[in-house]
Each structure stands twice: as C-alpha cells, then as structure tokens.
Amino acid sequence: MPARALTAAFAVCLFTLIVAAKWATFGKYGSPMPDWDQWDAEGGALFITWHKGEDLLPHVVRPHNEHRVILTKLQNLALGLANGQWDSRLEAVTNALLHAAVAAGLWLAAARWFAGPALAELFVLLGALFGLPLAWQNVLGGFHSQQYWLLGLSLLAIALLPSRRPGSPGWWLGAFAATAALGSMGSGLLASAAVLIVIGWRLVRREETWRGYWPTLLLCAALVAAGLALRVEVEWHAHMKAKSAQDIALSLLHSLQWPWRGQHWAAVVLWLPWALAAWRLASSPRGGALSRDPGGILIAALGGWVVLQLLATAYARGAGADYPASRYMDTLTFGTLVNVAALCRLATEVEADRVSRPGLSLLAAVWQIGRAHV
C-alpha cells in the first residue's frame, strides 16, 4: 500500500477510535436533557425564538457570558431543526465528530514531519488524549462544541497564515479560520495574536519582508482589534476573575502542571521540551535551516497559543487560583501533545544542531519520568 494511502487509513482509524470512545462515554453517562447554560442559550434564545418566527440573528450574535458562541448556536439550531426536536444526545455525538476530525487532521500533519516510532507514539497519544473523557464536561455536554471549534479553527489559522502566500487558497482558508474563530469563544482572537507573534519574530530577524507579509499582518491585527472590541464584561462573573498577579501566576502553574497536582515544579518538567524547542528556534542563526523549518515554527507557535489560552483563563477564572475545570482539559491535553511533538522534533534534529545525544537522552528521560509519576 502506498505511504500516502496508509497514512490516510491510519487517520480514518484514529478518527473512528476517538468517536467510538466518546460515544461509549456518552452512552453510559450522557442524557438527552439540556444542561446548565443550554436552557437560556439554546432553549430561550434559539428554539423559542425560531418557533415564534422572530428575528433570529440578534440572538445568534448576542454574547453568552463573556463569549460569542455563534458557531455552537448555529450548529445546535441546525441539529435541532433537522432532528425535529431538541436533543442533547445528538449535539454531543456530533461534537465527538468535530473533536475526532481535529485529531485526524493533526495526525495527517504529523505524518509530514515524523516517521517510525515517533509517529507511532503520536498516534497512540492522540487516541488517548482525544478519546479518553479527560474533559468529561465537553464529552457529555451538547453545548460545549465551542471548545472544539476554538481548537480546530485556531490550529488551521496558526498553521496556514504564516506559511502561505497571501491570496493563495491556503492563505484564504487560514484567513477564514482566524475570522471564524472569533465566533467560537471569547479567546478566539488569540489565534491571530499567535500569528502576529510568529510573523513579527520573522520580520525582526529580517527573514521575511513587509511586502510579503503586510496582508497577513493587517488581517490579524484587525481580527485582534475586532475580538477586543467585541469583548464583554459580565458583572455576575466578576467574582471569578483573578484578584492579583499571584492568582494569575498560580492559576497558570496549576494548568501547566496538569495532570500532576500539588507539584509546581512539574510545570517546568512537563513543558521543558516545548521551552527548549522554542528557545533553540528563537536563538538559531538567521537564515539557517532551523529558523526556516516549518515544523519547528508550528510547534513553537502552537505551544505559545496554548500558553496564551491558559493566561486568558487564569485572568478570567483565576480567583483563588484553583485548578482548572474539566471543560478546559482539552486545551491542557493539547499542550501535552505539543510537548511530545517538540520532544520528537528535537530527536530528529540531534545530528544537525547543537543538542547532543546525551543531552537529548537526559531531557527525554526527565520528561518521561515526570509523566510516569502522574
């Protein structure tokens, strides 16, 4: 079987495995009844409005708490109308398809840069992180597709916008994803912010020119500005915000050390591969192979995006510096995936750059020991 066909077959297997695992979880613990925010965000704002024949658009774009979950509202309204009734089961099983599609896309992307044991490890890790009910609130809740829309659209935007020529089909797809991300959650603007950081880094190093990047810079700056302008303050959530810099710092540490509770130093160990990969990229010689490596740049950018998301959560929900709720686990598990990818990437560069084999072996051993003690 040709390599490309084999890669596609594994992507289908991964997709099916994750969907089956999520459906099995929902089959045992799920419910057809709407839950929590669904009653007002869907029942009151969407279905009642639709059946009354009233103008639906204001209710679709209206903020839900601090977020404009436009994509989730449209998805669930379409499912309810197609089904003939409002059913959280249908919403949840559809959400599983979204998350599994993101995992399959990540697998196809990884197959371009990894091979052999590294690719096999990523396959197993994707199946576990995306299939297990680590973020059980998102698995069981029909209203939580915004987490999956945010992840998938942000990945597309960060992967495509910095690396595609403005006006090309790939660039337009990235531009659409970055724009649509604003309708996923309030932090959707951070995908554009991550792209701005990547492009700004390349411009400062004079590896690219303003002429080649100005459309992307203009687009992402406009999307960040639009996201900030659309941001809303919710009075009844004011008590959830971080009250000090210490709250933010501790909340961030609690997220970075996931799933190792109670050990702040674990955040350093678990994020060491990404930190080292990002530092090597930032300090690499201008114009060198490492500084132009699209895989390395993407890993650094995606890890940075996760950290931005965690900072936003630490600010908005950091009061008391508690550990993150289950609905945020899909972002944390993606952070784990980024660090594994960074570790695998470092292994492929060991012969061509400054990381010695003993140094890489020590890094891998420390990281694996840290994971094993979870």
Side-chain angles (χ1 to χ4, degrees), residues 75-160:
Q75 173 187 317
N76 289 357
L77 176 64
L79 289 173
L81 296 178
N83 189 44
Q85 66 177 5
W86 184 18
D87 191 339
S88 188
R89 292 173 301 183
L90 179 60
E91 295 173 352
V93 299
T94 302
N95 294 346
L97 301 177
L98 286 176
H99 204 205
V102 174
L106 285 169
W107 161 258
L108 292 174
R112 298 177 56 189
W113 294 307
F114 300 105
L119 195 57
E121 181 178 352
L122 288 172
F123 182 93
V124 173
L125 192 67
L126 278 166
L129 294 179
F130 282 66
L132 294 175
L134 302 173
W136 60 267
Q137 287 178 307
N138 297 339
V139 177
L140 302 181
F143 189 61
H144 289 180
S145 65
Q146 60 263 28
Q147 300 284 348
Y148 305 144
W149 283 115
L150 174 70
L151 178 59
L153 293 170
S154 297
L155 289 176
L156 272 178
I158 295 170
L160 295 176

